[in-house]
Amino acid sequence: MSRQSTRLEFPGSQGSPLAARLDLPDTTPRAYALFAHCFTCSKDVLAAARISRALTDFGIAVLRFDFTGLGQSGGDFANTNFSSNIDDLVHAAGFLREHYAAPSLLIGHSLGGAAVLAVTHRIPEVRAVVTIGAPADPDHLAHLLVENRAEIEARGEAEVCLAGRTFRIRRQFLDDIAAQPQAERIRNLGAALLVMHSPVDSTVDADNARRIYDAARHPKSFVALDGADHLLTKPADATFAAGMLATWASRYAFDPVPEPIAPAPAADPAEGLVVVSESGTGAFAQNITIGRHRLTADEPEPIGTDTGPSPYDFLLAGLGACTSMTVRMYAERKKWPLEKVTVTLRHGRIHAQDCADCETETGQVDRIERVIRFDGDLDDSQRRRLREIADKCPVHRTLHAEVIIDTIVSPAGEGARVREPAGAEGLG
């Protein structure tokens, strides 16, 4: 399969431009992957370049980039650390999401492997993660700096020779790699994991692979890169790794072949238009079209065939998503250390007489139980404020406001008609 490689640039976590390369197959990509290179390496290191190009033969598009201060990217390496690498990956995923498609596959080589394990929970579209010769903990790097550690701690920084090049390492780098909760991240990865490691790796010994594998939950797999060196300098080793990686990823990261659904409206749908039609595969099964998105809905068994979420499930999902997004936007604007938002919801009904705050006095009233979890180094006042902000999400306010549902019956054989807002006129 032929391929194309495009040079790109996007802003990194510290505002500096990051140099990137997107390797694309000549057909529509089956998946997009994000590749994180090894410590002090670049996007063009042999392992990254060979694996990325080989993956295009399997229909996978791969974005690889230079972390801040490395390769052709801007910024000062001395001001970076493992946390800034994680943030750079978030920015890279955002760039892919905005201009192409969000990555469903993360690949990391050496310290880049530790970085993709750490960033997975911040890129919700990721379904599969691959590490190649990765340390189980970023603090593994400390042994490379043992000869300079005393000077770094005494002077605050030191010039360190790594892989034949000189880098300025500051104390904050050592503090940062020592403070990473890597074991917890691996345990709560929330994605399929493939660990690839050479049994004869002399840079990151294979026991690191065992520790990663043991800490992770299923689904997880291990592939031995027998005889390969740490940097996969032999072309055959990189090709083998790419082939095994692509075969494994096809089970987890590739989009499934869509099932036949009712045709979308012939004309471009108006913004915000949702079309729901019976699928014919069950008594209550429905196809839902929202712009370019396709969903299904159904009733649970034994009433329906449980081919999709129920209508109330979608209602709770809308409220939960809106809650999380609103809280995230506020925390980002305030630059608060909110790592993750988790919203758990449940719908039920209670007797009105058991509800002290309800205006209704008889019969039953709907009740939505919402539990919000804020992960991150937040103080009590920040958590209280985020709790208040959650109630300001637009869907929450809609559920509490007066809602008018204007129903029109379309003549048989005609498509859905969308009523223009009051005062709207055509321009033709």
Side-chain angles (χ1 to χ4, degrees):
M1 182 183 294
S2 62
R3 63 177 72 92
Q4 55 180 309
S5 187
T6 305
R7 292 181 180 273
L8 300 169
E9 187 176 273
F10 59 89
S13 61
Q14 298 184 1
S16 301
L18 302 186
R21 184 178 289 276
L22 180 63
D23 295 308
L24 286 162
D26 65 350
T27 58
T28 301
R30 303 173 65 191
Y32 277 81
L34 187 56
F35 194 110
H37 63 68
C38 52
F39 182 55
T40 70
C41 296
S42 77
K43 67 182 183 304
D44 299 313
V45 68
L46 288 176
R50 286 172 176 163
I51 290 176
S52 296
R53 291 167 184 160
L55 288 176
T56 63
D57 291 337
F58 296 89
I60 303 175
V62 185
L63 179 71
R64 45 192 169 101
F65 69 97
D66 296 329
F67 286 110
T68 299
L70 292 173
Q72 298 170 317
S73 289
D76 185 354
F77 177 81
N79 293 330
T80 68
N81 49 38
F82 187 72
S83 293
S84 71
N85 286 352
I86 296 173
D87 291 338
D88 280 348
L89 282 166
V90 172
H91 280 246
F95 174 82
L96 271 180
R97 185 183 297 112
E98 179 179 357
H99 297 281
Y100 297 92
S104 59
L105 173 64
L106 298 181
I107 308 166
H109 180 210
S110 194
L111 186 65
V116 297
L117 291 170
V119 80
T120 299
H121 71 285
R122 295 178 61 182
I123 307 175
E125 299 88 351
V126 170
R127 302 198 292 268
V129 179
V130 180
T131 65
I132 304 171
D137 194 298
D139 197 35
H140 174 85
L141 285 177
H143 84 277
L144 297 177
L145 310 173
V146 63
E147 295 182 0
N148 307 90
R149 185 163 194 134
E151 181 183 357
I152 294 173
E153 293 181 345
R155 297 181 55 248
E157 63 180 40
E159 299 291 329
V160 178
C161 183
L162 299 169
R165 291 179 294 166
T166 300
F167 296 90
R168 189 152 44 104
I169 304 293
R170 290 177 173 159
R171 184 188 298 126
Q172 59 88 15
F173 182 92
L174 295 177
D175 294 340
D176 184 72
I177 59 175
Q180 300 295 327
Q182 196 73 349
E184 180 182 352
R185 289 165 172 162
I186 298 171
R187 189 164 49 250
N188 299 312
L189 193 62
L193 174 65
L194 172 61
V195 180
M196 307 182 82
H197 214 109
S198 169
V200 295
D201 191 329
S202 60
T203 302
V204 179
D205 66 75
D207 187 60
N208 284 271
R210 178 194 61 77
R211 291 166 57 196
I212 294 173
Y213 187 87
D214 288 348
R217 295 188 173 101
H218 285 289
K220 58 183 178 179
S221 305
F222 173 79
V223 170
L225 303 176
D226 193 25
D229 58 32
H230 181 68
L231 293 178
L232 304 183
T233 53
K234 297 177 184 177
D237 291 332
T239 301
F240 172 78
M244 296 299 295
L245 192 162
T247 301
W248 175 86
S250 66
R251 186 177 182 88
Y252 301 104
F254 290 0
D255 288 329
V257 177
E259 296 180 359
I261 60 173
D268 290 338
E271 182 179 355
L273 181 66
V274 177
V275 179
V276 181
S277 61
E278 292 183 316
S279 68
T281 58
F284 299 102
Q286 308 289 320
N287 286 325
I288 303 172
T289 302
I290 309 174
R292 62 183 180 87
H293 303 289
R294 305 293 186 266
L295 307 171
T296 60
D298 203 346
E299 289 289 346
E301 296 178 340
I303 299 174
T305 51
D306 199 25
T307 58
S310 73
Y312 274 104
D313 291 336
F314 277 107
L315 176 67
L316 296 183
L319 175 59
C322 183
T323 300
S324 181
M325 292 174 184
T326 302
V327 169
R328 169 58 60 192
M329 285 189 285
Y330 185 85
E332 292 291 327
R333 190 165 64 247
K334 291 290 187 179
K335 299 187 183 305
W336 288 355
L338 176 64
E339 293 184 3
K340 183 178 181 180
V341 184
T342 305
V343 185
T344 305
L345 305 104
R346 179 174 297 168
H347 170 260
R349 292 183 175 88
I350 60 174
H351 292 288
Q353 62 187 19
D354 295 331
C355 179
D357 300 324
C358 297
E359 295 181 4
T360 303
E361 297 179 354
T362 60
Q364 291 187 323
V365 295
D366 288 277
R367 178 177 183 270
I368 295 177
E369 176 184 308
R370 180 176 59 178
V371 178
I372 310 174
R373 172 178 169 177
F374 304 126
D375 289 332
D377 189 18
L378 301 163
D379 59 35
D380 290 342
S381 64
Q382 290 171 328
R383 292 178 181 275
R384 284 194 299 270
R385 182 54 180 161
L386 292 179
R387 165 64 182 84
E388 296 170 358
I389 293 300
D391 286 346
K392 299 182 184 297
C393 100
V395 173
H396 183 110
R397 290 187 293 186
T398 296
L399 291 173
H400 277 275
E402 181 179 2
V403 179
I404 299 173
I405 300 177
D406 190 0
T407 302
I408 303 170
V409 178
S410 176
E414 292 189 11
R417 294 187 298 169
V418 181
R419 174 177 291 179
E420 293 290 345
E425 296 182 359
L427 299 178

